């Protein structure tokens, strides 16, 4: 999901709505999460084929503390994000970072409004060979997927 669509989703509901994030394996992130970081990331790199590349994206990092009664509302999340992200970043992808046994990075795939809650569906961020012609990787291997998009496998 692009930053602009993420903002529109927050704008589509009252500032007092609850927020839930659901991982691709159908687990819900703890409801008492904190936003510890909002960032615009610019990445310059060389891929495995030696091609210079650049990418940019927006990221929000969620953290779970022991204050189980803490809840972040849609209005508060919008203010936190607006303090960092600029209007010209609306076309950037929005990623969500959350620590489980390691740091997990998710895409934001979609959202649904249920009662007074907005539920965000997270997707798996995947790695991929960017220069398969340089590495001898067959196209069938790159296109192989184990799960259908949106499923909880």
């Amino acid at each position: 999901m692009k930053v602009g669509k993420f903002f529109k989703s927050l704008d589509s509901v009252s500032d007092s709505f609850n927020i839930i994030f659901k991982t691709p394996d159908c687990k819900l992130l703890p409801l008492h999460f904190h936003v510890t970081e909002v960032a615009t990331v610019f990445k310059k790199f060389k891929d495995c084929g030696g091609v210079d590349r650049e990418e940019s994206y927006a990221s929000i990092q969620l953290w779970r503390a022991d204050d189980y009664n803490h809840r972040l509302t849609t209005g508060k999340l919008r203010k936190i994000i607006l303090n960092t992200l600029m209007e010209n970043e609306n076309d950037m992808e929005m990623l969500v970072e959350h620590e489980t046994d390691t740091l997990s990075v998710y895409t934001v795939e979609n959202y649904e409004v249920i009662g007074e809650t907005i539920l965000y569906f997270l997707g798996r961020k995947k790695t991929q060979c960017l220069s398969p012609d340089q590495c001898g990787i067959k196209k069938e291997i790159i296109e192989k997927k184990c799960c259908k998009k949106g499923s909880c496998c």
Side-chain angles (χ1 to χ4, degrees):
M1 179 180 294
K2 305 282 187 191
V3 169
K5 185 174 179 183
F6 193 83
F7 277 131
K8 285 180 185 175
S9 71
L10 293 172
D11 288 341
S12 73
V13 298
S14 166
D15 282 353
S16 62
F17 272 39
N18 296 307
I19 304 164
I20 298 176
F21 289 95
K22 187 175 187 178
T23 65
D25 58 354
C26 294
K27 293 181 181 169
L28 301 179
L29 297 187
L31 300 176
H32 55 282
F33 69 86
H34 291 251
V35 174
T36 56
E37 180 181 290
V38 177
T40 302
V41 180
F42 299 99
K43 183 175 165 183
K44 285 181 84 168
F45 61 99
K46 195 173 291 276
D47 71 18
C48 57
V51 177
D52 291 323
R53 296 187 184 265
E54 294 181 8
E55 72 176 10
S56 57
Y57 55 89
S59 174
I60 57 174
Q61 187 178 82
L62 308 180
W63 176 68
R64 174 181 45 95
D66 292 335
D67 55 345
Y68 298 104
N69 294 325
H70 173 82
R71 296 292 184 273
L72 203 61
T73 63
T74 49
K76 180 71 174 173
L77 179 59
R78 188 176 194 293
K79 286 178 188 172
I80 292 169
I81 293 172
L82 273 175
N83 283 334
T84 303
L85 300 180
M86 306 297 172
E87 289 295 320
N88 63 348
E89 294 165 341
N90 281 335
D91 288 334
M92 289 183 177
E93 284 295 320
M94 174 68 81
L95 299 181
V96 173
E97 298 178 353
H98 177 69
E99 184 178 356
T100 52
D101 55 340
T102 185
L103 182 65
S104 298
V105 180
Y106 301 101
T107 58
V108 181
E109 295 295 320
N110 210 346
Y111 73 96
E112 182 178 343
V113 177
I114 305 168
E116 294 185 5
T117 299
I118 190 163
L119 171 63
Y120 289 100
F121 298 94
L122 302 177
R124 288 179 175 85
K125 175 139 172 60
K126 299 181 187 217
T127 60
Q128 179 175 315
C129 178
L130 299 176
S131 292
D133 55 327
Q134 300 290 318
C135 299
I137 305 294
K138 293 182 180 178
K139 185 177 180 180
E140 305 84 53
I141 294 173
I142 293 173
E143 292 176 350
K144 184 179 178 183
K145 295 185 180 181
C146 68
C147 300
K148 291 182 179 177
K149 193 171 189 169
S151 71
C152 293
C153 60

